[in-house]
Amino acid sequence: MNIENIKSQFPIFSKKINGKPLVYLDSSNSSQKPMCVINKLNDFYKNEFSNIGRSIHSLAVNATNKFEETRESIKNFINANFKEEIVFTKNATEAINLVATTFGQQNIKEGDEIIITELEHHSNYVPWHFLRETRGAIIKFAPINEDGDVIIDELKKLITLKTKIIAVTHLSNVTGTIVPIKEIVEIAHKKNVPVLVDGCQAVPHIKVDVTDLDCDFYAFSAHKVYGPTGVGILYAKKKWLEKLPPYIGGGAMISEVKKDKIIYAKLPEKYEAGTMPTAEVITFNESIKFMESIGIDNLMKHEKEIKNYALEKLNKINSVKIIGNPKNKAGVIAFTIKGIHPHDIATILDEDGVAIRAGHHCCQIFHEKMNLTATARASIGVYNNKDDIDMLCKAIENCRKIFDLK
Amino acid sequence: MDLKQLYQDIILEHGKSPRNFGKCEGYNHDAKGYNPLCGDKVHVYLKLNSGKKVESLTFEGEGCAISLASASIMTELVKGKSFDETRDIMNAFLNMIKNTSEIRSNHLDEDQKTKLMSLSGVKQFPMRVKCATLSWHTLVSAMKGKKEEINTEVID
Ligand SMILES: Cc1ncc(COP(=O)(O)O)c(C=O)c1O
């Protein structure tokens, strides 16, 4: 597939925003959807719709098969060992909550320690905070340096005999830092500590191989990977899913229900109670095919080129400051402009059709650490090109003009 | 939508050099406001005299041009007003932003109304309304002597 023409596969780019062509630089928040994904969702509802698993009519059998095909595709895409290690949730947030809750119930008691980092999204902090509230756990923050890299030696020092789990992002949604997960997992496993990885930003942008990483849990959301909303994915090593208690109770997650006892379903249904986002899970298979048709190496190469171009051009604009300078940086670029609040930047850029995000991006710990209240963030997706970056820079110049910056 | 109308010169000017910025001497009321969505913060300091009128009013905070300008203009307009008058002005302001297109209050003169109207541009930018209203909610809270922080995600 030719990456240069990829925009044409995304119908939203034929729309005008405020009378201008859309320059979408908010893919870290959620990605736009290619036609194949939109068509699949439509097609499934139109021609194939049925709930899965419960009935034996043809439509149900077909839907069940397709649903399982997505699971199989995800397993292959992230190189898991078993299909049963892929659990569907409603988003990555729910996937992390699933682990925090069930793991917490079974393994966390008062005084036990959980290590996270200062880079984490609130989704990978608040669920652990619940354990601080309900079970008296202690949360330790592995520090980051000025560049936005996790200081691995410091993280190492935080591990004690009381450390029960480490939860860490694979790719920061503010600085674009690619965190050396493999190294962290090795350190943790030497001390018998399991690792949960928040892979929300990694899966759409870099190669993810959970077997190679050897992490215990890996969570991400379909909507950031050119897929539909309403689908989260939890990868967990089979030994954990077998051992941990179920999370949500109800239909489909049971195998036998008696008045005095309930036997839970086998994996992965044990963790998939109630009617799932059937159409969306089935549709997500198209997103994976889309990613595969581009090829993750091509995608990475393309996004790297656009990122480098963006960094170079942004660095040339007076008063623009890029936040963080990590060793390995993906196409997530948080920046500030001296004299203009990020919120004003976002409003003015939007008038030029340039969609970015302003705020703390659900990372207040990071912003506090960097002494910032907010940043503007441009994040790159596979459809972005150099023209988009030129438009971004032009719109920033317009901001500077409105605010009369020299 | 019109950027010129949102970022009028008076807004940019107040945003750049907010009036009455800092802590006022001898303040006897204060309150904090916070917008968790964008991180805007405002801290209002208020000295009510024996007649319960605003003797001095200042603020500290961080935020966008709209929120700083709104707070700055507020400190200028409310001086000398009583609690009821202040609340009336705030309601007229909120009403202008949310419903009508004019300021209806007997407690402001025409010049003052014009000044406040410079914030009318936010009407077209629903995501920015809270930037303009945070300082007002915080002021009213300070006058009421409330202790807890105003949070834009909790008020409407
Ligand atoms: C790093 C990271 N973690 C977690 C999340 C939460 O994802 P979701 O809202 O899809 O659950 C996001 C998305 O904003 C993210 O960027």
Side-chain angles (χ1 to χ4, degrees):
Chain A
M1 193 186 289
N2 185 353
I3 283 198
E4 294 308 315
N5 298 330
I6 222 149
K7 249 190 191 178
S8 63
Q9 295 194 30
F10 289 76
I12 199 150
F13 293 116
S14 59
K15 296 272 173 299
K16 293 258 157 73
I17 301 294
N18 298 322
K20 311 266 172 50
L22 168 63
V23 174
Y24 190 76
L25 290 166
D26 197 19
S27 296
S28 285
N29 186 344
S30 195
S31 65
Q32 294 297 343
K33 317 304 170 202
M35 204 60 215
C36 58
V37 169
I38 300 167
N39 281 344
K40 182 70 205 180
L41 191 64
N42 192 28
D43 200 53
F44 178 74
Y45 275 124
K46 225 157 96 185
N47 302 314
E48 298 182 284
F49 182 77
S50 163
N51 207 344
I52 56 165
R54 301 171 187 203
S55 310
I56 52 166
H57 56 74
S58 309
L59 284 175
V61 172
N62 174 60
T64 307
N65 288 342
K66 295 256 163 76
F67 192 92
E68 291 308 314
E69 276 168 29
T70 301
R71 202 189 303 277
E72 182 76 27
S73 292
I74 295 171
K75 180 209 121 190
N76 294 332
F77 189 61
I78 63 172
N79 196 31
N81 283 312
F82 306 98
K83 208 165 86 96
E84 300 75 41
E85 296 181 320
I86 307 297
V87 170
F88 291 112
T89 60
K90 78 167 183 279
N91 49 35
T93 302
E94 190 179 73
I96 297 171
N97 274 275
L98 185 162
V99 177
T101 305
T102 60
F103 183 89
Q105 261 173 40
Q106 199 170 71
N107 301 290
I108 303 273
K109 48 184 197 314
E110 190 166 345
D112 282 346
E113 296 166 0
I114 296 161
I115 299 176
I116 69 172
T117 82
E118 290 176 340
L119 277 182
E120 299 316 310
H121 189 280
H122 297 164
S123 292
N124 199 22
Y125 172 24
V126 183
W128 305 108
H129 165 74
F130 286 170
L131 296 177
R132 184 160 63 182
E133 284 199 326
T134 58
R135 307 189 77 85
I138 294 163
I139 299 181
K140 290 175 160 181
F141 290 86
I144 53 172
N145 60 22
E146 273 294 297
D147 291 336
D149 277 311
V150 177
I151 308 172
I152 302 294
D153 281 341
E154 295 296 323
L155 185 149
K156 219 187 237 171
K157 282 188 212 153
L158 293 181
I159 304 175
T160 71
L161 288 173
K162 287 193 170 272
T163 306
K164 289 288 145 60
I165 191 164
I166 298 176
V168 54
T169 186
H170 197 171
L171 203 165
S172 158
N173 62 312
V174 183
T175 55
T177 307
I178 300 173
V179 177
I181 295 298
K182 204 172 162 172
E183 189 183 345
I184 292 174
V185 171
E186 267 169 31
I187 292 166
H189 283 183
K190 267 192 201 133
K191 310 249 165 127
N192 275 324
V193 177
V195 178
L196 173 138
V197 181
D198 172 0
C200 268
Q201 298 296 340
V203 176
H205 304 293
I206 63 174
K207 193 173 174 61
V208 172
D209 180 331
V210 291
T211 300
D212 181 55
L213 293 174
D214 198 28
C215 55
D216 297 84
F217 306 96
Y218 198 99
F220 65 102
S221 283
H223 70 90
K224 293 182 203 269
V225 199
Y226 310 104
T229 54
V231 180
I233 294 96
L234 172 68
Y235 157 81
K237 282 185 179 166
K238 210 159 134 187
K239 65 169 186 194
W240 285 113
L241 293 180
E242 279 166 351
K243 190 169 154 236
L244 294 176
Y247 180 47
I248 295 174
M253 55 77 70
I254 37 77
S255 78
E256 215 184 318
V257 176
K258 293 271 165 58
K259 277 192 174 163
D260 57 351
K261 73 166 186 197
I262 290 173
I263 298 171
Y264 304 127
K266 60 184 185 353
L267 295 174
E269 284 79 19
K270 174 180 165 190
Y271 290 100
E272 294 177 357
T275 295
M276 299 297 287
T278 312
E280 288 77 7
V281 166
I282 288 171
T283 298
F284 185 49
N285 208 357
E286 292 302 316
S287 314
I288 295 170
K289 286 183 198 159
F290 170 79
M291 292 282 285
E292 282 170 342
S293 72
I294 299 166
I296 194 80
D297 292 331
N298 290 333
L299 181 144
M300 283 168 69
K301 187 167 156 256
H302 171 74
E303 291 186 4
K304 186 174 172 186
E305 190 184 328
I306 305 303
K307 173 206 68 182
N308 287 340
Y309 182 72
L311 290 176
E312 189 192 314
K313 286 210 62 173
L314 286 170
N315 272 322
K316 280 194 193 132
I317 304 177
N318 239 342
S319 59
V320 168
K321 182 172 178 234
I322 295 181
I323 307 303
N325 179 29
K327 284 196 198 94
N328 281 307
K329 183 180 172 80
V332 187
I333 304 170
F335 62 96
T336 54
I337 303 179
K338 199 162 187 269
I340 317 181
H341 190 275
H343 232 172
D344 295 314
I345 301 173
T347 294
I348 297 171
L349 262 54
D350 184 55
E351 281 297 298
D352 279 330
V354 179
I356 62 155
R357 187 167 165 186
H360 50 57
H361 323 296
C362 300
C363 293
Q364 274 186 284
I365 303 293
F366 172 84
H367 281 79
E368 202 163 289
K369 170 89 175 194
M370 296 291 179
N371 269 321
L372 297 162
T373 50
T375 52
R377 180 188 72 185
S379 54
I380 291 163
V382 67
Y383 30 62
N384 290 119
N385 54 31
K386 289 185 180 170
D387 292 345
D388 292 337
I389 304 304
D390 291 341
M391 270 309 299
L392 167 71
C393 293
K394 224 172 112 190
I396 289 176
E397 287 298 351
N398 187 31
C399 264
R400 289 169 36 82
K401 211 159 80 201
I402 288 175
F403 275 75
D404 202 22
L405 293 189
K406 298 287 172 296
Chain B
M1 284 190 272
D2 189 357
L3 275 183
K4 289 260 151 47
Q5 201 169 348
L6 182 64
Y7 293 107
Q8 296 181 22
D9 288 345
I10 175 169
I11 303 281
L12 292 171
E13 201 271 317
H14 274 264
K16 208 177 274 177
S17 343
R19 317 293 192 273
N20 304 310
F21 197 84
K23 283 190 189 72
C24 58
E25 200 135 313
Y27 69 87
N28 44 24
H29 288 257
D30 74 308
K32 285 183 187 171
Y34 178 53
N35 180 344
L37 290 186
C38 58
D40 281 1
K41 279 181 199 147
V42 63
H43 194 158
V44 166
Y45 302 91
L46 174 71
K47 186 175 178 189
L48 291 181
N49 64 19
S50 50
K52 294 270 176 214
K53 297 215 168 185
V54 177
E55 189 172 310
S56 34
L57 169 62
T58 60
F59 78 103
E60 287 175 339
E62 273 179 79
C64 61
I66 309 296
S67 74
L68 290 177
S70 178
S72 172
I73 290 170
M74 174 185 84
T75 59
E76 290 189 327
L77 299 187
V78 169
K79 215 166 231 178
K81 308 288 186 211
S82 68
F83 175 67
D84 286 342
E85 288 165 344
T86 302
R87 202 164 49 179
D88 178 74
I89 297 169
M90 176 181 87
N91 287 335
F93 176 62
L94 297 183
N95 208 22
M96 180 273 286
I97 283 179
K98 288 175 185 164
N99 308 309
T100 63
S101 49
E102 52 178 1
I103 303 271
R104 293 188 194 134
S105 170
N106 298 327
H107 305 293
L108 294 175
D109 64 30
E110 286 311 309
D111 278 356
Q112 290 174 319
K113 285 185 187 173
T114 307
K115 207 173 219 177
L116 206 44
M117 280 302 288
S118 68
L119 285 154
S120 64
V122 296
K123 283 167 92 97
Q124 295 176 56
F125 297 83
M127 302 296 282
R128 306 303 299 277
V129 166
K130 284 174 181 169
C131 307
T133 58
L134 175 64
S135 56
W136 284 92
H137 287 298
T138 309
L139 170 62
V140 166
S141 161
M143 292 179 106
K144 283 184 186 160
K146 288 232 169 121
K147 281 281 161 278
E148 70 276 22
E149 184 174 274
I150 286 284
N151 185 314
T152 54
E153 291 312 285
V154 181
I155 55 170
D156 56 25

